[in-house]
Amino acid sequence: MLFVSIILTSLAGALLAVLLNKRRAGMLIPYIAAALSSAMLIVMSAPVLLGHGDVILSLPTYIQRLGEFSLRVDSLSAFFLIVMAIVTMCVSIYSVGYLREYENKYNLGRMGFLFNIFILSLCMVFTAGNAILFLIMWEIMSVSSYFLVIYEWRRADSVSSGLMYLVMTHVGTAFIAAAFLLMWTQTGSFDFTSFAGIREMSELSGTMRSGIFILLLLGFGTKAGLVPLHIWLPRAHPAAPSNISALMSAVMVKTAAYMIIRCCFGFLGVTEVWWGLLVLLIACISALVGVVYALAETDIKRILAYSTVENMGIIFIGIGAAMVFQAFSNGDSTIPYLADIAALALVASLFHVMSHALFKSLLFMGAGAVISSSHTRNIEKMGGIGRRMRYTGAFFFVGALSISAIPPLNGFIGEWMLFQSLFLSQTIGDPMVNILIPAAVAALALAGAIAAACFVRLYGAVFLARPRSDHAENAEEASNSMLGSMMILASLCVLTGVLATFIVRIVDKVSASVLGTSIASKVVGGITLSTPDGGFSHISPLAVVIVFLLLLPLVYLLSNRLGGPQRIMREDTWDCGTPLGPRNQYTATGHSQPLIHSFGRYVGVKSEVSETKSSSPLIPARMKFHQEVEPVFERYLYRPIHRAAVELSNRIGWIQMGSIQAYLAYIFVTLLVLLVVFR
Amino acid sequence: MIIELIQTFLLLALAPLVTGIIRSLKARMQGRKGPSVLQPYRDLLKLLYKSSIRSRDSSWVLSIAPYVCMAAVIAAALLVPVIYTGTFGLIGDLLLLIYLLAIVRFFTTLAALDAGSTFGGMGSSRELFISSIVEPTMLLSIFTVGLISSTTDLGGISMNMASTGLDLIEPSLLLAAAAFFIAILAENSRVPVDNPATHLELTMVHEAMVLEYSGKDLALMEYASMTKLLVFFTLMANIFFPWGIATSMDPIALAIGLLAYLVKISILTLAIAVVESSMAKMRLFRLPNLFTMAFILSLLAVIAYYILGVA
């Protein structure tokens, strides 16, 4: 019943957005509807997570062969739904203030309509219990997000980014559809409940399973933005308005993680070790490549989009590790704790799904607020905004701390569990695992450290020091609805970290429903999190906070006791005798130069310094620095494919000669061939 | 509980002394007399009495950075075993310690950008570069220790290793220790990575970041980095070479633990002084070579564990 009202509320919101277009209420009511249906989603999913049984809604079906169109909320769905609902609720509140900027520029009715449809389709994707229904919803999600990406269609790059997104997402969908069809040939039904039977089919060959797995990985990897299928992500996410970027980065890409977990553990059963190792390898590469690109960017939203590639990498490192451990524990139950470690890796991954959804939507919202008031996306033209937009700056700071894995915020907890699960891999005596897991540890450490560097740079360039442009100097604080929604997310980032022990209990139930192993009793003890091997490694996020809450005042009091209270004078920054202007400070490009110098060349970042000579050989009249990112993947991977496709079409183009008789002949011949083959 | 607090206080009290000894030893090796080993204490006290100047361009980040850094370093100090294997391990493990020190890095590098000074930006940029490339080495050495003692709890590692005795001298442990030593040099801005005694804009890293601090703020930042150095020394001493550390509350064991600790720290102090006097600071872009070497050492440590452990 609740489920029906969620759907109806969203649809009503969409309809009202169209009807109330260009009226005052049209900027409010669609988002109230979206927030309302998000709230109802939480109310519906929370009991499922707490173990009160699944919620099932059957939709009327007319074609029996396609199976039963049902929407089902089980633990895994409920977890993703709650994460989604929290984000969509905050984004809805945010949109009310944020979209004021678009008034009289773009059609707000279209935004309200697509916004509601997009959220509804996300909700359906997380709950679809049938492959055909899933594909329909997946398609609605892709198309509605496409229209949202090209919402600002007057901007030069928006339509081309949207087109690339549309193409890539459909390539992905094709692989997914192929995988589902292969599974259908095994079970004869499109229902997910029957797909789950594939796990037990012992007669199914390993090649078939692996084939389906590869198709799924390609299909969902595209949506997740795993390298090298990521190329659409850093274009599409920034092109959309910021509220939509938040939804896409925080929620939409997670649909891929959701389906990979569901399909691999739920349907196929992880039988081969190399699946996990492959996922692990791709995930490590994604994390590293994503973060280095983020460091080379100066467009605030592209930085955040590339950081999404990195974080999806981290999430998939967890999924990959869980697959490796699960495969080993299926093969050999004598090795102790393997099932527990697999569960720990999956819990870490799911925890990071939640953390990333929270902090990335917060960061995109903050970016949106900054962009609206500084009228630029280039961080080289910002600076000093923190003094004008105090609250936005503070909330963005929490997001930056969180994404940099600063304890005890939520980003840290996920990484801690992930590191611990990797550390525990020693019981496996497989050489490949013993080499790849330390490599994954190193990659995760490097990616984490560079991500922190990236967000120090971003926060410093945007919010600190002197303004680098007039717009930045005159930035104005965001509206209350934007600040309110950011405040909710910022406090959730802190709370989910500090109270991680409670969250892990819930996440463990989700992972147990997938893997069949519950580790909550071993991992969570009071206020501490420990590893499930009975070892002593543990952390207590709450204790960390208490220690900080004790130490900070202590340090303050002691240092002010010794030598008397602190006297502070405000003076200019040390300027070596020349008054400092906006240009006498490090630029964001300069700040990341050492790291880019070392790592950039591997991903095609090129820089060039050119000089104009003056009369003195030592002092050039003009120096120019130029840095560009060569689109390596587009150039060396996609362009050859594109060229081959065009070539092939040219070759076989002659059959399309434009005469109707010939076409009729083709149809007739095809029919004959089909009749002969499938008689 | 008392012992744990006492050993943390011991660490906090000794931190400026260690820096003083390093400076004094370096002075001797360079043929100078050098200041007294107690000079850092006097400097800190003097700075505490002075007023602070903060830039007009700076924001709350610069104001809170010294306090946050100091608190994070003290929190880290609470976690390390000094003379006794018991610690406040309930709070967290070795990974948490590394991430607590990452808080220090995050706030110093961010606050360095706050005043809009070119020096600060330069220091921040270089510090992030150095610490980023050294991070995998750090984590892999920890991974190795975790493999050997099958826990990442600091007290647990010390306890396991100290009670295993000399059997522990394994190639993987030594390799990991070597890698960790290079990581210490990098994390604490020592030669050949950074020169703590320079104020030359071409070379300075850490000093460039603390250039905008003065008075109490500077005292806190300096004290935090001194303590951070000793925390790393203590890790090296009690995680990689934990022999001598007290495993019980027995007074004699504690006395031996204290003695062993002082000996080990003296050796490390001497090692740093020798390295700093005999090596030149490396060019920034030659540092990746050094760190790659450290990384390979740590990777070899892991591989050595598996190869020799399985055999």
Side-chain angles (χ1 to χ4, degrees):
Chain A
M1 198 53 225
L2 200 50
F3 209 159
V4 178
S5 41
I6 291 167
I7 297 172
L8 289 180
T9 313
S10 288
L11 287 177
L15 196 66
L16 283 173
V18 179
L19 292 178
L20 296 173
N21 190 15
K22 292 182 182 152
R23 299 222 189 128
R24 210 66 201 145
M27 287 176 62
L28 196 61
I29 290 181
Y31 307 101
I32 292 180
L36 200 62
S37 69
S38 308
M40 286 193 282
L41 256 183
I42 298 179
V43 173
M44 181 183 73
S45 316
V48 179
L49 263 190
L50 297 173
H52 292 289
D54 299 357
V55 175
I56 300 169
L57 175 70
S58 295
L59 299 180
T61 10
Y62 301 105
I63 307 167
Q64 288 305 318
R65 292 200 60 174
L66 298 182
E68 196 189 337
F69 278 17
S70 65
L71 298 167
R72 176 188 205 91
V73 186
D74 59 6
S75 299
L76 187 64
S77 302
F79 174 73
F80 278 87
L81 279 179
I82 285 200
V83 170
M84 172 200 142
I86 292 171
V87 173
T88 49
M89 185 140 79
C90 293
V91 172
S92 309
I93 300 171
Y94 176 87
S95 300
V96 174
Y98 174 73
L99 289 173
R100 247 171 250 163
E101 200 203 348
Y102 289 84
E103 213 177 354
N104 302 327
K105 280 193 212 156
Y106 292 99
N107 188 333
L108 282 171
R110 188 190 309 148
M111 170 56 91
F113 175 76
L114 290 168
F115 189 84
N116 274 292
I117 294 293
F118 182 45
I119 290 179
L120 184 62
S121 67
L122 282 169
C123 159
M124 298 298 215
V125 161
F126 283 129
T127 51
N130 172 292
I132 301 291
L133 181 65
F134 174 84
L135 284 174
I136 294 171
M137 290 309 160
W138 183 262
E139 194 57 25
I140 294 178
M141 174 182 86
S142 300
V143 172
S144 59
S145 55
Y146 162 73
F147 282 116
L148 286 166
V149 167
I150 60 163
Y151 182 70
E152 295 176 42
W153 53 274
R154 285 191 202 94
R155 275 222 335 257
D157 60 335
S158 126
V159 174
S160 71
S161 308
L163 189 64
M164 172 179 270
Y165 169 52
L166 197 64
V167 171
M168 284 304 287
T169 189
H170 280 98
V171 170
T173 310
F175 284 115
I176 298 167
F180 282 165
L181 280 175
L182 278 181
M183 290 203 255
W184 172 74
T185 59
Q186 302 304 318
T187 62
S189 158
F190 283 111
D191 290 342
F192 281 171
T193 37
S194 72
F195 279 6
I198 296 179
R199 219 167 14 165
E200 267 78 47
M201 283 185 194
S202 49
E203 73 278 8
L204 187 60
S205 74
T207 334
M208 186 62 162
R209 273 178 209 273
S210 301
I212 297 175
F213 166 72
I214 292 290
L215 287 174
L216 287 171
L217 187 61
L218 283 170
F220 291 116
T222 314
K223 197 52 118 191
L226 295 181
V227 173
L229 300 165
H230 68 286
I231 52 160
W232 63 273
L233 200 154
R235 286 176 172 226
H237 288 207
S242 296
N243 54 343
I244 303 304
S245 316
L247 280 184
M248 288 175 80
S249 257
V251 184
M252 192 184 75
V253 293
K254 304 300 186 315
T255 57
Y258 161 77
M259 275 311 276
I260 284 280
I261 293 174
R262 168 140 291 180
C263 293
C264 290
F265 296 103
F267 300 165
L268 290 175
V270 185
T271 49
E272 313 273 344
V273 175
W274 65 263
W275 294 4
L277 292 176
L278 181 70
V279 172
L280 204 57
L281 188 70
I282 293 175
C284 288
I285 294 173
S286 301
L288 286 175
V289 169
V291 78
V292 173
Y293 275 131
L295 200 62
E297 273 299 332
T298 52
D299 177 326
I300 182 168
K301 287 177 78 176
R302 285 180 71 113
I303 295 176
L304 294 177
Y306 273 121
S307 141
T308 297
V309 174
E310 183 230 341
N311 279 282
M312 286 312 282
I314 295 177
I315 289 167
F316 273 80
I317 288 178
I319 295 177
M323 287 169 80
V324 172
F325 301 142
Q326 180 77 0
F328 271 103
S329 90
N330 282 346
D332 181 1
S333 52
T334 56
I335 307 175
Y337 308 124
L338 260 185
D340 291 349
I341 305 168
L344 183 64
L346 193 62
V347 169
S349 181
L350 288 171
F351 195 92
H352 200 75
V353 163
M354 177 202 70
S355 316
H356 181 243
L358 295 178
F359 59 62
K360 191 48 70 66
S361 48
L362 169 61
L363 289 169
F364 261 118
M365 289 179 185
V370 168
I371 294 167
S372 323
S373 68
S374 69
H375 302 286
T376 175
R377 283 167 34 178
N378 187 351
I379 56 173
E380 303 285 24
K381 294 205 173 78
M382 297 181 183
I385 292 181
R387 238 163 311 136
R388 299 225 145 233
M389 304 174 72
R390 281 171 173 278
Y391 294 105
T392 308
F395 299 141
F396 198 91
F397 189 74
V398 175
L401 284 178
S402 209
I403 200 170
S404 307
I406 295 298
L409 280 81
N410 58 8
F412 166 72
I413 308 293
E415 278 195 27
W416 185 85
M417 288 192 287
L418 195 49
F419 269 124
Q420 288 296 353
S421 72
L422 294 175
F423 282 2
L424 290 170
S425 68
Q426 57 172 320
T427 40
I428 302 171
D430 182 88
M432 267 315 269
V433 177
N434 290 347
I435 289 172
L436 256 176
I437 295 275
V441 169
L444 192 55
L446 186 60
I450 299 183
C454 181
F455 279 89
V456 166
R457 165 185 182 259
L458 179 61
Y459 192 84
V462 175
F463 291 100
L464 302 183
R466 288 182 294 281
R468 295 185 181 87
S469 69
D470 291 343
H471 280 310
E473 194 155 6
N474 300 318
E476 273 173 38
E477 185 58 287
S479 65
N480 286 338
S481 86
M482 291 157 87
L483 289 178
S485 55
M486 284 191 272
M487 187 179 74
I488 298 174
L489 285 170
S491 32
L492 280 176
C493 279
V494 178
L495 283 179
T496 49
V498 175
L499 303 176
T501 43
F502 300 100
I503 312 279
V504 167
R505 263 184 215 280
I506 296 170
V507 176
D508 173 67
K509 276 193 187 138
V510 179
S511 115
S513 78
V514 177
L515 294 175
T517 320
S518 167
I519 50 167
S521 55
K522 294 171 190 166
V523 168
V524 184
I527 55 162
T528 59
L529 286 176
S530 1
T531 46
D533 64 332
F536 305 99
S537 327
H538 44 236
I539 49 163
S540 172
L542 200 58
V544 175
V545 180
I546 294 170
V547 166
F548 262 91
L549 288 182
L550 288 177
L551 283 178
L552 273 176
L554 191 74
V555 169
Y556 184 78
L557 290 177
L558 274 182
S559 67
N560 279 287
R561 183 109 190 92
L562 271 170
Q566 186 169 27
R567 285 154 294 154
I568 298 165
M569 289 185 275
R570 286 278 171 184
E571 289 295 334
D572 286 340
T573 304
W574 167 240
D575 56 6
C576 304
T578 29
L580 295 175
R583 286 171 62 85
N584 300 80
Q585 48 188 343
Y586 245 55
T587 59
T589 311
H591 191 260
S592 59
Q593 248 348 265
L595 276 168
I596 289 301
H597 186 94
S598 306
F599 296 103
R601 65 187 123 147
Y602 302 114
V603 291
V605 183
K606 295 204 166 125
S607 52
E608 192 183 357
V609 181
S610 53
E611 292 181 358
T612 318
K613 291 263 182 304
S614 68
S615 53
S616 155
L618 298 175
I619 306 165
R622 242 178 109 84
M623 282 183 87
K624 206 174 163 190
F625 175 84
H626 178 71
Q627 175 174 302
E628 68 171 351
V629 182
E630 188 194 6
V632 184
F633 294 98
E634 280 91 331
R635 193 161 294 173
Y636 299 107
L637 183 69
Y638 288 93
R639 193 156 302 162
I641 296 176
H642 170 236
R643 214 179 290 137
V646 171
E647 183 84 349
L648 189 69
S649 332
N650 282 338
R651 285 274 168 79
I652 59 172
W654 59 267
I655 60 168
Q656 194 182 20
M657 55 187 71
S659 107
I660 290 184
Q661 288 95 321
Y663 293 164
L664 285 175
Y666 295 154
I667 293 173
F668 183 65
V669 171
T670 316
L671 191 64
L672 272 186
V673 171
L674 287 178
L675 280 176
V676 170
V677 176
F678 295 102
R679 65 182 182 284
Chain B
M1 188 70 181
I2 302 295
I3 301 280
E4 282 91 335
L5 269 182
I6 289 176
Q7 65 178 357
T8 306
F9 276 119
L10 182 72
L11 195 152
L12 290 173
L14 280 179
L17 183 67
V18 169
T19 304
I21 295 177
I22 294 181
R23 282 184 194 158
S24 163
L25 280 174
K26 274 173 71 181
R28 297 278 163 80
M29 285 179 208
Q30 292 160 358
R32 293 185 285 123
K33 190 158 162 274
S36 145
V37 291
L38 298 178
Q39 192 59 39
Y41 292 101
R42 296 181 195 137
D43 287 345
L44 289 178
L45 203 62
K46 176 188 74 187
L47 286 172
L48 280 174
Y49 277 91
K50 293 195 174 255
S51 57
S52 300
I53 300 176
R54 282 187 195 149
S55 163
R56 287 203 180 93
D57 297 324
S58 70
S59 66
W60 54 273
V61 175
L62 191 85
S63 319
I64 65 163
Y67 300 102
V68 174
C69 290
M70 198 60 229
V73 169
I74 298 178
L78 284 173
L79 298 179
V80 282
V82 180
I83 53 172
Y84 168 56
T85 51
T87 60
F88 291 96
L90 182 76
I91 305 170
D93 62 346
L94 187 47
L95 271 177
L96 176 73
L97 188 143
I98 298 298
Y99 276 88
L100 282 175
L101 296 176
I103 297 183
V104 180
R105 185 202 305 155
F106 191 90
F107 272 88
T108 34
T109 50
L110 193 60
L113 291 171
D114 201 5
S117 137
T118 323
F119 294 110
M122 192 168 59
S124 160
S125 159
R126 290 174 179 175
E127 168 79 9
L128 286 168
F129 167 67
I130 292 167
S131 55
S132 297
I133 15 184
V134 89
E135 190 82 355
T137 309
M138 195 72 125
L139 262 296
L140 273 190
S141 343
I142 294 175
F143 185 75
T144 314
V145 178
L147 289 179
I148 295 173
S149 52
S150 54
T151 174
T152 52
D153 179 72
L154 284 149
I157 297 173
S158 265
M159 185 78 160
N160 279 1
M161 295 218 178
S163 49
T164 318
L166 291 178
D167 294 348
L168 258 180
I169 307 185
E170 278 188 45
S172 53
L173 187 66
L174 295 179
L175 286 167
F180 195 75
F181 185 72
I182 299 180
I184 290 184
L185 294 179
E187 286 282 340
N188 291 289
S189 321
R190 312 304 304 191
V191 177
V193 177
D194 183 11
N195 189 347
T198 185
H199 275 108
L200 181 67
E201 60 268 30
L202 288 176
T203 56
M204 63 181 172
V205 181
H206 180 78
E207 289 301 315
M209 288 195 296
V210 296
L211 209 60
E212 284 298 324
Y213 295 98
S214 51
K216 273 190 205 303
D217 292 347
L218 183 61
L220 285 173
M221 291 308 274
E222 291 284 341
Y223 187 41
S225 59
M226 288 171 190
T227 314
K228 189 173 139 199
L229 179 69
L230 189 57
V231 166
F232 271 108
F233 275 9
T234 315
L235 275 184
M236 185 82 177
N238 287 340
I239 297 301
F240 292 93
F241 307 103
W243 300 287
I245 193 167
T247 49
S248 65
M249 301 273 261
D250 181 34
I252 300 171
L254 287 176
I256 295 174
L258 179 63
L259 197 68
Y261 177 68
L262 292 178
V263 170
K264 283 184 277 188
I265 294 301
S266 315
I267 294 172
L268 280 168
T269 310
L270 187 68
I272 292 279
V274 170
V275 168
E276 299 218 321
S277 304
S278 58
M279 286 183 86
K281 186 193 166 299
M282 287 172 111
R283 260 190 66 210
L284 190 69
F285 288 118
R286 277 189 57 208
L287 287 177
N289 298 347
L290 177 73
F291 296 146
T292 313
M293 200 176 79
F295 177 69
I296 289 176
L297 283 175
S298 60
L299 198 61
L300 280 177
V302 177
I303 293 174
Y305 172 82
Y306 282 122
I307 293 176
L308 300 174
V310 171

